[in-house]
Amino acid sequence: MEKDNLNRDQLYLYEEIMTGLKQYIDSHGLKEGDRIPTEKELGDLFKASRISIRRAIKELVEEGTLNIVRGKGTFVSAPRKEIHLLDLQGFSEGLTTDNDTITKDIISIKRVKSNKNLDRIFENQYDEFIELVRKVYRNDQALSLDFAYLPTELYPGIEERITPESSTFTIIHDDYGVEFKKVNKNLEFVHPDEELQGHLKVNSLNLLVLVDKVIYGEHDAPVHYSKYYLIADRVKLRLEHIIDQN
């Protein structure tokens, strides 16, 4: 059985290796997608057994710092992106930070007839909708696929105002004077169908987070419906509620 350096506390050695690996990534300027040294090379570098090296790598994979590709090696990955599920606005509006670049591509924008699901959500009020499908990227890596449905009766000509980077929430509020009063969101984990696999470059075994969202305006009338599929291992979901004690 391999043994670590006996002059170090073996119980916490993997934590030291984790810290050392992060410092190695920073000092060598490794970016997302770059491969780190092999287990043997790391063992020589940290003077540790493969058992401790593997434990450190496992922990870094679980926290999102590293990603193992079978048969190819271990690579630097982007940390999971935190998303606040209780936000009223679209999830991508609050994603951009100093360390990230969020971009969107329009996959399709077209008029569609209502169906049973849209009739249920919009209470049989509208016959036609704009269906907007956009892919969201974080630092050029696919993050989600977003489907939005906007009644043409409520928002005439809205398709002409939408660009890849525009916020439909800003357009609806500023151009059409709609006030948002509440939002309902449903969350579930799903496996991708062939369409989602193609757009998000995942396989059928990958888990996606499906967020189904309805926004309501005055008099509890539904004014916006969307559903978006997030790649589960690239996001961290957060719930936060401020309690008003007055």
Side-chain angles (χ1 to χ4, degrees):
M1 179 177 177
E2 293 177 279
K3 293 185 178 180
D4 294 317
N5 189 329
L6 296 179
N7 293 324
R8 301 162 72 183
D9 188 342
Q10 295 184 23
L11 181 61
Y12 299 105
L13 179 58
Y14 79 90
E15 295 180 345
E16 294 179 22
I17 297 170
M18 288 175 63
T19 300
L21 262 171
K22 291 179 180 179
Q23 293 172 346
Y24 180 93
I25 290 169
D26 289 340
S27 64
H28 286 75
L30 298 186
K31 304 297 183 184
E32 178 183 347
D34 290 341
R35 188 168 63 179
I36 68 169
T38 65
E39 289 182 1
K40 183 180 184 306
E41 291 169 335
L42 290 173
D44 293 340
L45 178 64
F46 293 107
K47 296 181 173 56
S49 72
R50 288 199 177 185
I51 294 174
S52 294
I53 295 296
R54 287 170 184 166
R55 173 69 185 275
I57 289 175
K58 178 178 179 292
E59 296 289 335
L60 290 173
V61 167
E62 290 182 356
E63 73 173 35
T65 299
L66 297 177
N67 177 46
I68 296 174
V69 180
R70 299 301 176 189
K72 295 185 177 180
T74 304
F75 299 83
V76 178
S77 64
R80 295 189 178 201
K81 191 63 181 176
E82 185 174 276
I83 294 173
H84 188 188
L85 283 179
L86 296 185
D87 279 346
L88 177 63
Q89 63 182 355
F91 82 95
S92 62
E93 270 74 31
L95 284 179
T96 303
T97 67
D98 291 339
N99 298 320
D100 291 323
T101 300
I102 303 300
T103 55
K104 307 173 193 175
D105 277 345
I106 293 178
I107 304 301
S108 65
I109 181 168
K110 61 185 179 181
R111 295 185 175 222
V112 298
K113 296 298 182 182
S114 190
N115 54 41
K116 289 183 178 180
N117 188 47
L118 291 174
D119 283 343
R120 175 184 59 81
I121 292 167
F122 288 92
E123 302 168 353
N124 295 295
Q125 294 184 63
Y126 308 108
D127 297 323
E128 185 182 64
F129 296 82
I130 294 297
E131 180 192 67
L132 171 65
V133 184
R134 290 194 290 192
K135 192 188 307 189
V136 180
Y137 300 85
R138 178 193 180 199
N139 300 332
D140 297 324
Q141 182 184 53
L143 183 67
S144 75
L145 194 67
D146 183 2
F147 295 78
Y149 295 88
L150 309 162
T152 55
E153 183 178 329
L154 277 182
Y155 313 115
I158 192 171
E159 62 266 48
E160 299 172 3
R161 304 171 188 261
I162 295 173
T163 67
E165 300 301 329
S166 63
S167 164
T168 55
F169 295 87
T170 299
I171 293 172
I172 289 171
H173 180 272
D174 293 352
D175 296 355
Y176 294 90
V178 173
E179 296 291 336
F180 303 133
K181 298 301 182 182
K182 71 174 184 178
V183 60
N184 285 343
K185 292 183 181 181
N186 293 311
L187 174 71
E188 64 178 303
F189 291 92
V190 299
H191 289 285
D193 59 19
E194 290 186 2
E195 179 186 12
L196 291 167
Q197 290 175 46
H199 283 303
L200 297 176
K201 307 302 180 187
V202 295
N203 61 52
S204 60
L205 298 179
N206 285 109
L207 272 180
L208 303 181
V209 182
L210 168 59
V211 181
D212 196 85
K213 176 178 63 180
V214 183
I215 295 181
Y216 298 85
E218 299 287 348
H219 312 298
D220 285 339
V223 296
H224 183 284
Y225 167 63
S226 68
K227 57 182 180 179
Y228 48 92
Y229 297 86
L230 299 154
I231 300 175
D233 62 6
R234 296 179 187 172
V235 298
K236 179 170 64 175
L237 306 179
R238 177 168 63 92
L239 295 172
E240 179 181 353
H241 180 64
I242 299 175
I243 300 175
D244 185 357
Q245 307 208 8
N246 293 329

